Amino acid sequence: MARTGKVEQEVLEAQLQNIVQDLYELMVQASAYDNVGPGVQSRDVLVGTIEHLHQSLTTIHQTAATLARDPARDVRIPPELIQYVDAGRNPDIYTREFVELARRGNQLMRGKQAAFAAFRNTLAAEMTRGLPELDEDVRRVVEATGGGGGSGAGVEPGVGAGPGAGAGHDGAGAGVGNQVQGKSEVEIKIES
């Protein structure tokens, strides 16, 4: 199947080369109108070149229409990319900018997910500390939302919690914050 695509590409390239050649000949004949030679009418040569150009354009149009009917070749080009190229800019730069934008969006989303996970963990710790009767419900909700799994309230060590997270104003509480090289670790133990 890859070979078929290569053959079709070579056919299209040959057809495009024919069109470029016809346009070149048309330009030369238009600039040298009346200087064709003895016994040859400039108009006849020019008409013949235009007819050949028309035939080349018809051929490439038919080839393109045939390829467009093939559902395996249904390629959608973003209109923004076409506008970018029409403005005379490099499509590689458009691709690079698009990838950079997607990467930035992914980083932003990853940051939001980490922030919500940290909030979930802190909220679970505080709810467990303040409402011990909801311990099992809190654990189930945390596990259902992608946190923890196994024992504890699903609070993962070091995920978005600061020093003393889970502790009250006096520093006492279910959460114990330990500073290790600028990172904090939160451990919550819930006994059933």
Side-chain angles (χ1 to χ4, degrees), residues 65-83:
T66 302
L67 293 175
R69 279 187 234 118
D70 185 5
R73 300 189 181 286
D74 190 20
V75 178
R76 302 281 184 214
I77 299 174
E80 297 84 17
L81 178 60
I82 294 172
Q83 291 170 353

Side-chain angles (χ1 to χ4, degrees), residues 104-176:
R104 231 180 287 138
N106 287 344
Q107 285 178 338
L108 178 66
M109 199 51 63
R110 190 176 308 124
K112 286 181 179 182
Q113 287 174 336
F116 278 113
F119 175 71
R120 177 200 59 223
N121 295 342
T122 304
L123 181 62
E126 289 297 317
M127 286 185 70
T128 301
R129 186 175 66 84
L131 303 166
E133 65 273 5
L134 295 179
D135 173 40
E136 207 46 51
D137 292 331
V138 169
R139 181 179 295 130
R140 195 174 51 245
V141 168
V142 168
E143 288 176 5
T145 58
S151 65
V155 179
E156 300 167 3
V159 177
H169 294 290
D170 59 353
V176 179

Side-chain angles (χ1 to χ4, degrees), residues 13 22 24 53 56 61-62 66 90 105 117 119 126 128 137 143 147-148 150 163-164 168-169 172 177 187 189 192:
E13 285 178 5
D22 290 342
Y24 176 76
L53 174 64
S56 297
H61 175 72
Q62 290 169 346
T66 302
N90 189 342
F119 175 71
E126 289 297 317
T128 301
D137 292 331
E143 288 176 5
H169 294 290
E187 183 177 309
K189 294 182 182 176
S192 300

Side-chain angles (χ1 to χ4, degrees), residues 10-30:
E10 290 172 358
V11 167
L12 284 173
E13 285 178 5
Q15 290 174 352
L16 284 171
Q17 287 174 346
N18 287 340
I19 290 172
V20 169
Q21 182 64 34
D22 290 342
L23 289 171
Y24 176 76
E25 289 176 10
L26 187 64
M27 178 191 72
V28 168
Q29 291 173 5

